[in-house]
Amino acid sequence: MNLIFLGPPGAGKGTQAKRIETLHGIPQISTGDMLRAEAQAGTALGQQVRAIMDLGGLVSDEILIAMLGERVDRPDCARGFILDGFPRTTVQAEALDAMLASRRSRIDAVLLLLVDEAALTERIAGRYTCARCGTGYHDHYKQPRVPGVCDVCGSHEFTRRADDRRETVVTRLDAYRQDTAPILPFYRAKGLVHDIDGMADIDTVSRAIDHALAQAKAAGTVTES
Ligand code: AP5
């Protein structure tokens, strides 16, 4: 099962993709996480992309397409994958289609998280993650069960993303409107898009996604791995 999560910054793509990863045993592929890992490691690529990301712009299609092609060929993707943050431009969407067709594969469903943009800044500004295992939290909407202790690995260290400043969120939203939203007709024409109300609470959004996937499976458009 090959899935795409689409939606603006802060829509909940990562939150829901991680849950589907655990539920279905297929990997979440977050291109944002991959780029941040490169930047953190100080690789040549990481140095090249860090400034772009910190300002909220998009990294080049060429870099992203090469990175994704290498990632989906890894053995853990044999039963499928969940894309979170890719594709983000029409060029990326078309390249993904061609890449999968050459591997006799395809996208099974696109889960579009519909959100009120006014709420996104608050969601993003309140977000933080465990520094050790990457589990995501929020100051108001998703706090650890024991304050200051990660639910998953017990770490006491948390980090906030450099691009989660309010002024950068504006640029990221502009990039979504200008470059990413235009790819929706491409997937709608294929009948793959499931509209999900991303403004509901996290558990309600999860249930809506499960319902959409069950419907797609019943209709034969999603083949469960
Ligand atoms: P990326 O890491 O992909 O960031 P993004 O798309 O901006 O998305 P976010 O991670 O900010 O949000 P999300 O939708 O995953 O929300 P989350 O679940 O965390 O990309 C970062 C940068 O990398 C880009 O700006 C670009 O520079 C570069 N890049 C990456 N991919 C690229 C590509 N393909 N091409 C070019 N450049 C690329 O949720 C947010 C918060 O809200 C969390 O705290 C969460 O707990 C909370 N929350 C989630 N759901 C709910 C809910 N239903 N109710 C209340 N709170 C909620």
Side-chain angles (χ1 to χ4, degrees):
M1 176 167 71
N2 298 329
L3 303 178
I4 295 175
F5 272 98
L6 270 184
K13 304 182 294 294
T15 302
Q16 298 297 336
K18 273 205 185 305
R19 181 182 154 276
I20 297 287
E21 175 181 60
T22 308
L23 200 63
H24 293 267
I26 52 174
Q28 170 205 18
I29 300 179
S30 160
T31 45
D33 284 350
M34 291 167 77
L35 291 167
R36 280 185 287 279
E38 293 283 343
Q40 179 77 26
T43 63
L45 174 63
Q47 287 171 17
Q48 192 182 334
V49 301
R50 181 193 286 270
I52 300 169
M53 293 176 71
D54 285 357
L55 291 173
L58 292 185
V59 176
S60 80
D61 289 332
E62 198 183 18
I63 289 175
L64 265 296
I65 291 165
M67 184 183 263
L68 193 87
E70 187 274 326
R71 180 64 187 88
V72 297
D73 277 341
R74 291 196 207 156
D76 65 337
C77 292
R79 291 175 52 246
F81 50 75
I82 310 151
L83 297 181
D84 161 14
F86 189 101
R88 250 182 162 95
T89 64
T90 305
V91 171
Q92 292 179 19
E94 288 170 350
L96 175 65
D97 241 30
M99 192 189 294
L100 294 179
S102 73
R103 292 158 172 83
R104 296 181 185 280
S105 186
R106 64 181 167 89
I107 291 299
D108 293 300
V110 176
L111 298 155
L112 173 65
L113 297 175
L114 299 165
V115 283
D116 167 9
E117 285 195 7
L120 296 179
T121 311
E122 198 216 334
R123 276 200 194 173
I124 292 172
R127 168 172 57 188
Y128 60 98
T129 55
C130 170
R132 192 194 291 164
C133 74
T135 299
Y137 296 98
H138 191 277
D139 290 332
H140 307 296
Y141 306 125
K142 190 185 170 208
Q143 296 165 355
R145 285 190 290 273
V146 178
V149 182
C150 176
D151 293 345
V152 176
C153 74
S155 169
H156 291 76
E157 280 184 48
F158 298 88
T159 58
R160 289 185 192 260
R161 275 169 44 176
D163 62 344
D164 278 352
R165 298 184 311 275
R166 284 177 190 274
E167 59 274 23
T168 311
V169 173
V170 173
T171 312
R172 288 164 59 196
L173 281 170
D174 283 346
Y176 178 79
R177 272 188 232 106
Q178 190 177 315
D179 296 307
T180 308
I183 69 180
L184 275 168
F186 177 80
Y187 290 115
R188 285 207 192 275
K190 294 172 185 279
L192 293 176
V193 179
H194 300 266
D195 291 335
I196 307 287
D197 174 12
M199 288 310 294
D201 63 71
I202 293 176
D203 290 343
T204 305
V205 176
S206 299
R207 282 195 293 276
I209 289 167
D210 291 346
H211 181 66
L213 290 178
Q215 276 191 326
K217 200 175 158 190
T221 52
V222 165
T223 43
E224 179 65 271
S225 41

